[in-house]
Amino acid sequence: MTFFNISQTFLKHRVRHWSANCQWTRSLAVSHTLFPCRGLSTDGSTPRPQISEDSIEVFSHVHPRDDMTNVTAKILSTVGSQLHNRPHHPLWLIKEHIKDHFYRSYIGRTGNPLFSVHDNLSPVVMVEQNFDSLLIPPDHPSQKKVDNYYLNCTHMLRAHTSAHQKELVRSGLDRFLLAGDVYRRDEIDSDHNPVFHQMEGVRLFSNHELFARVKNGEELSLFESAGRRTPQKQETHTLEAVKLVEFDLKQALTHLMRHLFGEDRNPIRWVDCYFPFTHPSFEMEVRFQGDWLEMLGCGVMEQELLCSAGAGNKMGWAFGLGLERLAMPLSKNPLLFSDISFWLPAEGYTENDFYDLERSIGGDLVREELLSSNLILFSYSPRTKRVSHCYRVVYRHMERTLTQEEMHIIHGAIEQAAEKELRVQGRY
C-alpha cells in the first residue's frame, strides 16, 4: 500500500486512531542472511522481480515454479519497494518514531541503545522460516495456499516479520526491533491488505537480569523441572519469572502507546489470546472514540523456540504490530463506493481470486471489499441453481481526491477482467 501525505500531521498529532492488524501468527536460507539483502535499496535501483512460465526471479535469485506457486505479477511488483526505509515516507516516520522511543527508553551504561534495528531483511523466506521456526504445525490453517503467496514449495513471501525471529536470536541478539513488508492473500478491508508492513520487538532475560532488582533474587530461577503448563505459564517456567516478564512486557508497550498517542491517557486493556509462538499471549486494546481498538499482539516467547535458537538459558517477550494501521485513518480524502455483482461459475471460483484480480487493476486505490451472505449481497437462483455475489468496492486516493470519472474507468476494467479471467457472468 502506497500511502498518504501526512508527514506534518503525524509529527504534530502523533497517532490518533488505528485498528491494528494483529494477526501476528502466521532455518535460514543461505541466500538470505542477517545482513542487508544485496540488491535492496530505497532509490528505485533494486532489480525488479521477474515472472515467467517456468520460474520467478527475485533479487537475482531464480525460483523454479511448481504446484505451490501462486504469487501474482501485481504482488511481485511491490517486492523491494522498501517504503518503510524511504526517508519522510509515512511508514518510515512511524517506524522511526517507534525506534526513537526504544532508543531513548533502553540505554546501556555507555549511552548506546540496547535495542538493535533490522529493517532490510529479504521478504523472500523459506517456508520453514515462516512456519516451522515459529512452532506453527503443518496442518495449521495459516499455512494454506489460499492464504499465502508461495514462490514454490520451499520459498514464499513472508507472512509476518516473525519469520526472522529465530535467526536473529541465534545470532546472539537479546534485544531487537524488526520491520519489513509482509504478504498475505487476504481481502482488503479496514483490518487487512495483501501487502503491508509490520514491526515487532523481542527482549530476552538471563536469570540475573530478570531478578537483579528483586530482594533475594539470587534464590529465584527462570525455570523449574517437572512443571506443568497452565493458562498462566509454560511447563518449564516458574510463575515468578513469568509474572516479571509479563510485567516488563506490558509496561514497555504501555509506554510505547503513550509515546505514540500522546499524553491523553486513553484507557488500555489487555485481552488473553492465542499465538503458536507465545504463552501466555495477549492483545492490547485502547479505548478510542467510544470503542476498544486492537493495537497489537504480544506474549512470553515459547521456550521451545528459544531452545531451538540456542538461547535455552533465557526467557523473553515478543510483540508485533502493523505500521499501516497507524497511518491509514490520518488520510482525510473522501471515499468513493461502487458495487459489482456477478453469477459465479459452476466451480473453481474463490473470493481471493477476485481480490487478487481487483487489486491488480485498481492497485492502492482499492481500499475495501465487502462480501455478505445476506440481504442483496448474496443470492441464489432455484431455477438455474446458480449463486451470485455482490461486492461493494471502496476507492480512495491517499494523497488527493479521487474523481468519479477515474473510479468508473477502474471499476469498468475490473468488471471486464472478472468476466474474462474468472469466468463469472456480470449482473451490471
Side-chain angles (χ1 to χ4, degrees):
M1 296 189 288
T2 307
F3 290 102
F4 351 95
N5 183 16
I6 61 163
S7 302
Q8 296 301 319
T9 304
F10 179 80
L11 292 176
K12 181 177 180 180
H13 297 290
R14 309 259 176 106
V15 177
R16 293 175 292 164
H17 168 61
W18 95 35
S19 58
N21 184 322
C22 156
Q23 298 190 26
W24 178 40
T25 118
R26 293 273 185 224
S27 313
L28 180 60
V30 174
S31 58
H32 307 301
T33 69
L34 297 179
F35 303 102
C37 300
R38 293 183 179 180
L40 266 66
S41 69
T42 59
D43 61 5
S45 61
T46 301
R48 306 311 302 168
Q50 302 292 325
I51 184 169
S52 68
E53 184 177 348
D54 300 320
S55 65
I56 297 173
E57 182 177 346
V58 187
F59 307 137
S60 302
H61 186 83
V62 177
H63 302 271
R65 296 171 66 102
D66 58 28
D67 291 342
M68 286 297 291
T69 304
N70 68 345
V71 65
T72 65
K74 176 62 180 178
I75 293 298
L76 279 177
S77 70
T78 67
V79 176
S81 297
Q82 292 280 80
L83 300 182
H84 61 291
N85 284 334
R86 294 186 181 181
H88 309 300
H89 188 281
L91 298 184
W92 177 85
L93 289 171
I94 297 169
K95 181 197 72 174
E96 292 298 306
H97 211 49
I98 296 173
K99 185 172 75 173
D100 176 70
H101 170 71
F102 278 89
Y103 276 5
R104 293 174 181 268
S105 301
Y106 298 90
I107 301 174
R109 294 180 179 179
T110 62
N112 294 324
L114 294 178
F115 274 78
S116 59
V117 178
H118 307 267
D119 55 13
N120 201 24
L121 301 180
S122 173
V124 177
V125 299
M126 295 182 69
V127 173
E128 179 185 1
Q129 285 177 269
N130 199 77
F131 298 118
D132 297 36
S133 73
L134 294 166
L135 312 180
I136 301 175
D139 59 349
H140 195 274
S142 65
Q143 295 211 35
K144 290 183 177 179
K145 182 178 177 180
V146 71
D147 292 328
N148 299 282
Y149 288 106
Y150 286 91
L151 303 183
N152 53 33
C153 64
T154 60
H155 288 80
M156 64 185 297
L157 298 180
R158 63 188 170 206
H160 40 208
T161 50
S162 304
H164 301 286
Q165 265 191 24
K166 181 176 178 179
E167 64 194 74
L168 291 171
V169 171
R170 185 180 293 279
S171 73
L173 298 177
D174 286 343
R175 303 174 180 87
F176 59 85
L177 299 174
L178 173 60
D181 44 332
V182 296
Y183 303 80
R184 295 184 191 162
R185 204 164 179 253
D186 277 334
E187 72 277 12
I188 301 175
D189 58 27
S190 60
D191 293 315
H192 305 88
N193 200 70
V195 184
F196 57 102
H197 295 73
Q198 285 186 335
M199 191 164 190
E200 63 183 81
V202 168
R203 184 181 185 186
L204 305 185
F205 300 86
S206 66
N207 205 90
H208 173 74
E209 287 173 317
L210 188 62
F211 296 117
R213 297 182 180 180
V214 178
K215 185 177 180 180
N216 298 323
E218 65 277 2
E219 300 176 8
L220 301 175
S221 175
L222 300 177
F223 308 111
E224 66 178 3
S225 58
R228 64 185 183 91
R229 179 172 290 243
T230 70
Q232 292 75 37
K233 62 183 267 325
Q234 298 172 40
E235 51 269 43
T236 59
H237 295 161
T238 64
L239 186 59
E240 296 85 0
V242 171
K243 289 304 178 182
L244 284 176
V245 171
E246 179 182 328
F247 174 79
D248 189 87
L249 167 64
K250 291 181 177 180
Q251 183 181 55
L253 294 178
T254 298
H255 290 166
L256 174 61
M257 289 299 114
R258 299 301 184 209
H259 179 68
L260 295 175
F261 279 82
E263 298 301 323
D264 52 353
R265 300 294 176 182
N266 297 50
I268 290 175
R269 74 178 183 184
W270 299 92
V271 179
D272 293 339
C273 63
Y274 165 79
F275 301 119
F277 35 83
T278 56
H279 181 77
S281 303
F282 314 96
E283 289 176 347
M284 172 194 273
E285 296 182 349
V286 171
R287 191 73 174 175
F288 181 80
Q289 294 185 347
D291 293 319
W292 286 104
L293 303 177
E294 182 185 304
M295 294 289 103
L296 52 81
C298 61
V300 178
M301 298 178 70
E302 283 283 355
Q303 198 61 32
E304 182 181 346
L305 190 159
L306 292 178
C307 289
S308 67
N313 62 330
K314 298 179 180 180
M315 282 182 62
W317 54 246
F319 73 87
L321 53 82
L323 293 180
E324 274 88 353
R325 304 304 167 78
L326 289 91
M328 286 174 64
L330 296 176
S331 175
K332 298 302 182 182
N333 298 308
L335 298 171
L336 297 179
F337 302 86
S338 190
D339 294 342
I340 180 171
S341 178
F342 44 73
W343 294 106
L344 305 187
E347 58 183 17
Y349 175 86
T350 68
E351 297 160 26
N352 279 342
D353 289 334
F354 173 70
Y355 301 144
D356 277 346
L357 178 145
E358 184 180 33
R359 67 179 64 101
S360 70
I361 297 173
D364 295 334
L365 297 181
V366 178
R367 302 278 18 109
E368 182 173 5
E369 307 110 337
L370 300 176
L371 171 65
S372 178
S373 59
N374 53 35
L375 299 178
I376 65 169
L377 300 186
F378 173 93
S379 61
Y380 174 73
S381 171
R383 183 177 63 85
T384 63
K385 294 181 170 45
R386 290 195 300 175
V387 175
S388 171
H389 282 184
C390 180
Y391 297 81
R392 169 151 294 173
V393 187
V394 182
Y395 299 90
R396 177 168 65 183
H397 198 294
M398 302 305 294
E399 297 181 353
R400 62 175 176 83
T401 298
L402 185 68
T403 67
Q404 288 281 351
E405 182 179 3
E406 290 174 311
M407 181 200 70
H408 287 315
I409 292 175
I410 298 170
H411 200 75
I414 292 174
E415 290 175 340
Q416 294 179 24
E419 290 190 347
K420 180 179 179 180
E421 299 183 25
L422 302 182
R423 297 180 292 108
V424 302
Q425 181 180 348
R427 302 182 67 189
Y428 318 133

